[in-house]
Amino acid sequence: MNPLHSSLLALQQADSFFPGGAVAWSWGLETLVADGRLGATSAVALARRQRGVPRDRSAQVNGFVEGQLRHRWATFDRVFLSAAWHAADSLQALSTLDARIEALTLAEELRQGSRRLGQSLLGVHVAMGTSGAEAYQQCIASGAAAGHLAVVQGLLWQRLGMDLDHCQLAAAHGLCTGLVSAAVRLGVMGHLDAQRILTDIQPLLLELLAQPVPDLEDASGFTPMAEIAVMRHESQELRLFAN
């Protein structure tokens, strides 16, 4: 495929306008905000709040996004996306990858979110007629696969003809935009702050993508604060997001 065509596909798939369902998920951010755990705690910040100066929490959102990228996406989701991209022609291999994600994701809320997002994305591509989408949807419906997001991304985007590098870039950028979008809707920061974070996070994203994809046996994620927040989310009285 023409590299420019692959780039164009990546832009389309990573666009927040694409109806993949990511807008419904905050990955623990909503609970952290509700608990007051997303904010500066320094003496300077406390003095600013006492004077009535609005708290700028964009630095904390930046840290949250960085943590999700560095300690979850790059070491876990990226691994399975890459493996699914290479195994896109084998339903058995894809379902095996799905099962590994299911076993390695301890928090039920994270498993559920990943499955629902993956199946939502798959449904869009079934409607669009993407090669391989309907067959894997039937595999999920039969109970043979879970439909986790990273596996579905690898399958669909390989079938569309996207380069693996562009698949990884689209997935990582989509995660970042989803998180900062959640922060904006939660009233933590404004749209310009969100764009600054997306700009500031680019060197880290490029650094992570320049590193070799970890082996499947080494796939791991460690974001304990976010995982605890996701597990506690259902106890919140008012909820805007699914997790």
Side-chain angles (χ1 to χ4, degrees):
M1 173 178 284
N2 185 323
L4 197 58
H5 188 193
S6 178
S7 300
L8 185 58
L9 286 168
L11 288 173
Q12 179 188 13
Q13 299 299 312
D15 196 330
S16 58
F17 180 70
F18 194 90
V23 295
W25 307 88
S26 79
W27 305 108
L29 190 63
E30 183 172 29
T31 302
L32 293 175
V33 171
D35 288 348
R37 300 206 176 260
L38 192 77
T41 56
S42 67
V44 173
L46 179 60
R48 284 171 59 85
R49 292 201 296 275
Q50 290 173 340
R51 295 198 305 270
V53 178
R55 178 170 51 174
D56 179 9
R57 292 181 284 189
S58 58
Q60 283 68 41
V61 175
N62 195 322
F64 183 82
V65 175
E66 178 178 340
Q68 290 294 309
L69 265 182
R70 189 187 294 276
H71 302 297
R72 172 72 188 190
W73 183 84
T75 60
F76 190 82
D77 297 310
R78 181 192 182 200
V79 178
F80 284 96
L81 185 155
S82 176
W85 188 89
H86 287 290
D89 293 328
S90 171
L91 292 178
Q92 179 60 49
L94 293 169
S95 62
T96 299
L97 292 172
D98 250 340
R100 293 188 71 160
I101 293 179
E102 189 79 9
L104 291 172
T105 306
L106 299 183
E108 167 59 25
E109 293 77 8
L110 288 182
R111 293 197 301 271
Q112 182 185 78
S114 178
R115 289 194 303 263
R116 288 177 60 182
L117 266 179
Q119 292 174 30
S120 176
L121 178 63
L122 189 61
V124 173
H125 280 271
V126 168
M128 294 173 62
T130 301
S131 172
E134 186 173 1
Y136 203 60
Q137 187 180 60
Q138 293 173 356
C139 189
I140 294 169
S142 70
H148 283 286
L149 179 61
V151 172
V152 171
Q153 287 174 333
L155 161 65
L156 296 175
W157 294 348
Q158 193 273 353
R159 289 300 188 92
L160 286 175
M162 288 170 56
D163 294 340
L164 180 56
D165 286 345
H166 289 157
C167 294
Q168 296 176 69
L169 188 60
H173 179 70
L175 172 64
C176 293
T177 56
L179 291 174
V180 297
S181 174
V184 170
R185 283 179 287 155
L186 288 167
V188 172
M189 61 185 189
H191 289 280
L192 286 178
D193 294 319
Q195 292 304 316
R196 291 189 185 100
I197 289 175
L198 291 176
T199 299
D200 291 343
I201 211 76
Q202 287 176 5
L204 171 62
L205 179 52
L206 294 174
E207 174 191 330
L208 293 173
L209 291 176
Q211 298 172 3
V213 178
D215 292 336
L216 193 59
E217 291 73 16
D218 295 328
S220 64
F222 187 72
T223 54
M225 181 175 286
E227 291 188 26
I228 292 170
V230 166
M231 289 187 281
R232 292 187 59 252
H233 184 261
E234 65 179 4
S235 66
Q236 300 292 321
E237 292 185 3
L238 298 176
R239 291 177 289 175
L240 179 62
F241 295 92
N243 73 9

